[in-house]
Amino acid sequence: MRAILPGKPQARLQALCTTEWEGQRLVAYISGNGLIIFSGPDNLVQTIYNDDCEALTALTIDEASGKIATASSREIHVYRPYGKEDGLLKWSLQCAIPRPEQEPEDVTLSWGTDEELLVGSSALRLFQTAPEEAEIWFRSLSKPTRIALFSCDADLIASTGYCDRLIKLWRRQSYGADDTRFDFTYLPHPTAVTAIQWRRPHTRAQASDHVLYSICGDQKLRIWAAMNQHGVQGLQLWAEIDMRASVQPRQLNPALQSRDRFAFIIDSREFSRTTAAAVERAARSGAVKAESKEQHALGHLAEVAKSSPEICVVLDRHGHMSAWGLENVGCKTRKPTDVFNIAHIENFEVSFLDSANPMDRNTQLVPFCWVQPYAPFVLLAHHFDGRIEWLECRLEELFAPSPRQKRTRRKILWTGHDGPVKKIVRSPSGKAVISRTNDNEALIWTQGFGGNDLGLTRRSSLKCPEHIHRSWLLKEGDFVVNLHHASVSLWDARVSPAAQVASIPFNLEGHPICLVQLPKPRFDTTIIHITVITSKKKGIVSEILLPEDSARQPHFRRPSVLCTFELDIIDNIVFMLPVDPAGSAVWTSSTLDTFSKDIAISYSRDGRLRTWTAALNSDESAVEWLVTSTVETGIRDPSLASASSIRKAALVDSSKTGLTIWDMRSGQLEYSVQYEDLDLIRDLDWSSTPDDQALLAVGFPHKVVVLAQLRYDYLNVGAAWAPIRSINIKDSTPHPIGDSTWLGSGNLLVGAGNQLFVYDQTVDPSDEMISNLSLPVHKQGQMNLFDLVTLLNGPLPLFHPQFLSQCVLAGKLGQVNRVVHGLYKALKFYTDGDALDSFVSLSPEAFIVEAQTSNDGALGYNTGYGSIDEEIEPDFGEVVASLNEALSRASIPQLSSQEQMHLADMVDCVSTVNKHQRSMDENATRYLLFFRQHMIRKSQAPLNHASVTYREIVWAYHSSSQDILVDLTSRQFHGRMLWEDARECGLSMWMTDLNALRAQFEIIARNEYAKTDEKNPIDCSLFYLALRKKNVLLGLWRMAAWNREQASTQRLLSNNFQEARWKIAALKNAYALLGKRRFEYAAAFFLLAGNLQDAVNVCLHQMRDLQLAVAVARVYEGDDGSVLRLLLKDKVLPQAALEGDRWLATWAFWMLGKRDLAVRSLISPVHTLLDTAESPKMQARSYLANDPALVVLYKQLRGKTLQTLRGASRISPKEEWDFVIQNARLYDRMGCDLLALDLVRNWEFLVQTKEVPSQTEDGPDPRKMLRRRSSLVVDDLSSPKSPAGMKAGLGKPPAQKVFEEPEANSLLDNFGF
């Protein structure tokens, strides 16, 4: 926390109190119905709210016990301290003393000895608070008392009433709870008494030397002392100081003169302590030179302190001050030198308010000295306009006779609201905010005072007689626009309090829900257009002409209604609100399009989010609204939404516990979280870093969680957002959070109760939230919030494992090798603490130079190989070994320790791929690298048995080097591949050669049989029966003599299952096994009965193994079988549509022979290509469904066959454009900016043909759409199907690929000759 605005202090004499208790300074004051306790200017100890009353009226602290008493109109609350021994000082309620109903609201409190509490109002009452509360004395008064104070020894009570010129002095006659009596005398004054104060004794021996200070309306300070201890009078007038005459300004300018005087007393105890600290401080520092100003000031102070005088300080509103010393107070014979002048100085800076309201002009000054050594002198200035200043100075500088520019320094200013904060609204830049309460009182704040941004400075206040729905700040808080039920009001906040200058009534259908400023020209700051929108989609635009910055015009041109409008949408709007500006103002653009800045967001009951922009046509006096983005979230009855101007939106569900974050540009879900039932989301606030990285503050009743963007991570399926900070306010206040907002500097402003808390940007990387994010931070210490977000979501260095992985997917293995070599050279002589170039001396152009295209398995854009052999040096193995050794000993500043481990794994994988690169195509290279990476990470985390993703399966499926992949994957499992191993590498889905698949399946069957010492035939039954090798299985059963099921199973398998009776027997056994939950064995018996469909269903539903279901169907009846096609159409494709899995969808379409749809599914949402009524899941809208590697596959497949070209031709140019731009944004969010630049620079769009298809042809030749002619396009267009056949299914399987011998010219063209 950097600053706190604890609340507006009450304008009462006993609203502020300070004391020193057990060596600790306590400062407390009352604000509204809250008690705020500090132990220092920035150290808030506790806030206690009294919910049973509207406002507290008095406060006092007992110096002996530390108890605090507060008063309201209904009762007195006494709080006792606890936890000081444990360093957790707090106060809890000890008792509540009810007040009589007929008593007036005002009350005065004072502590006596032995925890006695004096309560003064229409009567004086004395209570004993320990061990139990009890009233021990009561005395009714003729008029209500205004001030009643115990003397330090509790022998005397001084009291006075309102407008009373007499001080009633009560002397205690007896002690004891049963017999407490007081008698009284009077101290007369010429006019009404305004303040009284007892002297605090220097020592305990002086406690009985009673001295009373009083001030009355004649502006004279009187000192009353017991000059005759045995006299009847008690106290006599010892001396008086004419405060008006004691301050005589040297200037004759009437503007610099004031008739108001203020005074405070520095007791001799405080003065002596402060002087001793000043002398010791100077002696230790040794910085005071002889004959210097500091030496003279210190000598003057020490000379004054010799006689331990009391100090009376008098000052006026303009900083003129005189200080008087009082010696031998109470002496019977007063010498003329007992009251002497110490200093008459200028530039004593206290921020007095020059207000017309007499109450606001009043200021109460409370001095004290810090307990700590060398601590400064402190003066608390309680201004009755609602401020408490904490002023610090050194007494030697304060009383120095030589001129000084500035004698005091304001440490902090306590102010705020006197009621619970309901709403906080910021200006677009975040340099000004307005906070308002439930009773329509508002305060306008600006960030920083005195040229810094350590806190908020109260600029103006606002009290509105109407209910305020919404507020909007203009010109950094100079003006405020408020929205009411049927009008808009304009307020001038350049003065305090703010003045209403205009009101614009309106009559619109529906209730007003949104107040927003329309975009304005960049250089026009005087003409403002404010629009109001109602729940019925109706609205008005008002034009406001503001004065120039330099002009303080008292009169404004009356605002006018420029036009009315209606939003052109069908569905109703539940809510509409301005977007969070996130640090940037919204200016008008030359055109109104989707690139314009958003100004508002709306949501409907069915969860439809819309962002809006608008432009004003001044010539036609009309406003045009445009929906810039629409997202169907599927969240019904959302309770809260918020959006930022950088196209991010957050939505809260109806239970107020579920949060989702959406990218409004792409319509994809970036984050979803469900909080606990007690954590109800109440507020959402957006901010952004200078480089447009988003931050979201999620407000709960007693905490705020800050979420930051992370890089997209498709390889590790990482989250796109993460909590980086949690701010809990329970230790500071029990009141729930009302609202929060970001300031322009990145500080977070939180309003809870009547208090405002400002939390700075500083975060601790060792915090558990941040340490879990694997930051590349190797040094301890705090860091800036914006720097942290840049680390989490900024561009990656070239040697980052995620960047290298994406380069491999993009076909840039040559560049990866260069990076490995560059990093090896950079780390060769690297030591910790050295700077490391993120580009490792490589040129960015190396990643964006367009390369030759290849035909078989190539990516079609920038393979980056050139001659790959030239890139791989003979000692690449040595390079890898040396690099891994360097990575194990050095800490790379751009990487975390976990990322360094992944980089070492990545380098190993690249080395493995390079060994086999000559014999594999690029798709096999991609698969092998990520399969190898998967196996390494699995060995590091044995509990993670997840298989490779469908992305790797698709790469291997489209490879022409599958025989090598089968061999390499088998070696990975030491030649003993079990089914779980085959499932892990996705073998059954990516092998296209059925004979090779069946051969591999038989190997798996043998390995399953031999995996245990018993060699159980049950383990391999499903595999042999899928291969239709029942006799092999029967032979295995003959050898299983140890199995008790051998005889029955052997007899059963010996029968002919082509006969109906044995099929029924096999089915009965299958269902019996299902009942026993032996699912794999049950599927084997379904195959024995010839029921492939049921066997596939068991694998899919009971065993939840899609790969096994596909493998059994393919091995049993081939790729053209009806069961496989039904599985793909009815199960796989709907699952892909439901989950938004484009990789699974393109594989399934390709297996079905619908290669055009396989290409289209890479761009279009899968559910739009199927006749399915089920809406996709939330995860289908996730960013993970839009892998940027899809653009690589799309470029590769679209020109592969005529079918894929036909599918690509059905994708509109706009869809392809959006697809490419979206993938460029995805690369950018991943930190791979170079790959994004490479994509948009080298992408080739298909040529849009204008031929009109004839009646005998399906359309123009798709090959003409390619910008680069290729003769290696396979003709796989199937024969025309009848309409009935088209409706019946997805068509017949495609014909086999036919290789056509290319012409020599086309080959030369293809290679650039």
Side-chain angles (χ1 to χ4, degrees), residues 1025 1030 1049 1052-1053 1055-1074 1081-1091 1094:
L1025 291 177
K1030 184 191 71 170
T1049 307
L1052 180 63
L1053 291 177
N1055 296 298
N1056 182 8
F1057 286 90
Q1058 300 298 323
E1059 300 179 11
R1061 57 174 296 204
W1062 297 115
K1063 285 186 178 181
I1064 294 174
L1067 289 174
K1068 287 182 179 179
N1069 279 278
Y1071 288 120
L1073 289 168
L1074 283 177
Y1081 205 25
F1085 273 89
F1086 278 124
L1087 289 180
L1088 189 62
N1091 197 336
D1094 286 341

Side-chain angles (χ1 to χ4, degrees), residues 491-637:
W491 298 73
D492 185 356
R494 296 174 298 176
V495 296
S496 184
Q500 181 175 347
V501 295
S503 179
I504 311 168
F506 58 81
N507 185 14
L508 296 173
E509 182 182 359
H511 57 275
I513 58 173
C514 183
L515 175 72
V516 64
Q517 179 184 348
L518 295 181
K520 60 181 181 179
R522 186 175 295 271
F523 302 106
D524 189 356
T525 59
T526 58
I527 300 179
I528 304 296
H529 295 97
I530 296 291
T531 182
V532 177
I533 304 172
T534 69
S535 57
K536 297 297 183 181
K537 298 173 288 187
K538 305 294 179 63
I540 64 165
V541 177
S542 302
E543 185 176 80
I544 301 173
L545 181 62
L546 299 178
E548 296 290 344
D549 292 340
S550 59
R552 292 279 176 172
Q553 302 176 5
H555 301 290
F556 289 75
R557 193 185 76 178
R558 180 177 177 80
S560 60
V561 176
L562 191 64
C563 64
T564 61
F565 61 87
E566 182 175 0
L567 298 179
D568 187 18
I569 55 175
I570 299 175
D571 53 336
N572 290 325
I573 295 177
V574 176
F575 217 79
M576 188 171 185
L577 65 160
V579 301
D580 278 335
S584 60
V586 181
W587 310 104
T588 56
S589 57
S590 57
T591 58
L592 181 65
D593 50 33
T594 56
F595 294 101
S596 303
K597 282 271 191 178
D598 297 335
I599 63 171
I601 180 175
S602 66
Y603 61 89
S604 58
R605 290 195 179 277
D606 56 359
R608 183 180 293 108
L609 286 176
R610 288 188 179 92
T611 54
W612 300 79
T613 188
L616 185 68
N617 189 338
S618 302
D619 297 335
E620 299 180 3
S621 296
V623 62
E624 183 180 356
W625 288 86
L626 177 67
V627 177
T628 56
S629 60
T630 302
V631 176
E632 301 285 349
T633 64
I635 300 174
R636 294 197 59 82
D637 297 322

Side-chain angles (χ1 to χ4, degrees), residues 69-319:
T70 62
S72 66
S73 59
R74 298 168 59 180
E75 53 190 1
I76 311 295
H77 283 190
V78 178
Y79 302 92
R80 62 183 172 192
Y82 68 93
K84 191 174 189 298
E85 299 80 6
D86 302 327
L88 300 172
L89 179 61
K90 299 290 180 183
W91 278 260
S92 62
L93 180 66
Q94 175 188 328
C95 62
I97 303 172
R99 294 183 59 194
E101 295 182 359
Q102 66 274 14
E103 277 194 347
E105 179 182 352
D106 292 339
V107 67
T108 180
L109 303 174
S110 181
W111 286 101
T113 57
D114 299 327
E115 301 180 23
E116 294 176 341
L117 179 64
L118 176 67
V119 180
S121 184
S122 58
L124 289 179
R125 295 189 291 165
L126 186 60
F127 292 91
Q128 181 68 46
T129 63
E132 294 181 357
E133 65 275 8
E135 184 178 303
I136 60 176
W137 179 67
F138 173 86
R139 184 68 176 265
S140 61
L141 302 173
S142 59
K143 59 191 306 186
T145 183
R146 180 169 177 259
I147 310 171
L149 298 176
F150 261 126
S151 63
C152 292
D153 61 351
D155 265 357
L156 299 178
I157 299 175
S159 68
T160 184
Y162 289 89
C163 303
D164 196 345
R165 68 179 190 87
L166 297 176
I167 294 179
K168 191 174 289 187
L169 192 65
W170 305 80
R171 181 183 293 273
R172 190 190 289 259
Q173 299 295 313
S174 62
Y175 287 86
D178 298 331
D179 186 22
T180 301
R181 289 177 292 132
F182 287 84
D183 64 358
F184 63 90
T185 58
Y186 291 102
L187 302 180
H189 290 72
T191 57
V193 178
T194 57
I196 58 175
Q197 177 182 332
W198 289 101
R199 182 186 71 172
R200 301 182 63 192
H202 188 72
T203 61
R204 291 189 175 182
Q206 293 180 332
S208 59
D209 297 339
H210 302 123
V211 176
L212 180 69
Y213 305 103
S214 67
I215 301 175
C216 64
D218 61 354
Q219 293 198 344
K220 289 185 179 181
L221 184 142
R222 292 172 171 82
I223 301 100
W224 306 83
M227 291 182 286
N228 183 4
Q229 295 288 345
H230 305 288
V232 180
Q233 186 66 21
L235 297 181
Q236 295 87 35
L237 181 65
W238 182 79
E240 63 179 27
I241 297 175
D242 190 340
M243 296 191 298
R244 184 172 296 173
S246 63
V247 177
Q248 296 294 334
R250 296 185 178 93
Q251 295 88 349
L252 299 179
N253 186 357
L256 298 178
Q257 298 183 10
S258 172
R259 295 179 60 85
D260 297 334
R261 297 293 184 268
F262 305 91
F264 61 90
I265 304 294
I266 305 176
D267 295 312
S268 62
R269 181 177 70 174
E270 301 286 346
F271 183 68
S272 299
R273 178 191 295 175
T274 309
T275 304
V279 173
E280 186 176 357
R281 180 172 59 246
R284 283 184 174 270
S285 64
V288 180
K289 298 180 180 179
E291 302 302 325
S292 64
K293 288 185 178 181
E294 290 77 9
Q295 178 63 35
H296 285 299
L298 191 60
H300 175 67
L301 182 67
E303 185 68 26
V304 172
K306 284 182 178 179
S307 56
S308 300
E310 321 291 332
I311 308 298
C312 174
V313 180
V314 182
L315 64 154
D316 65 3
R317 292 186 175 275
H318 301 292

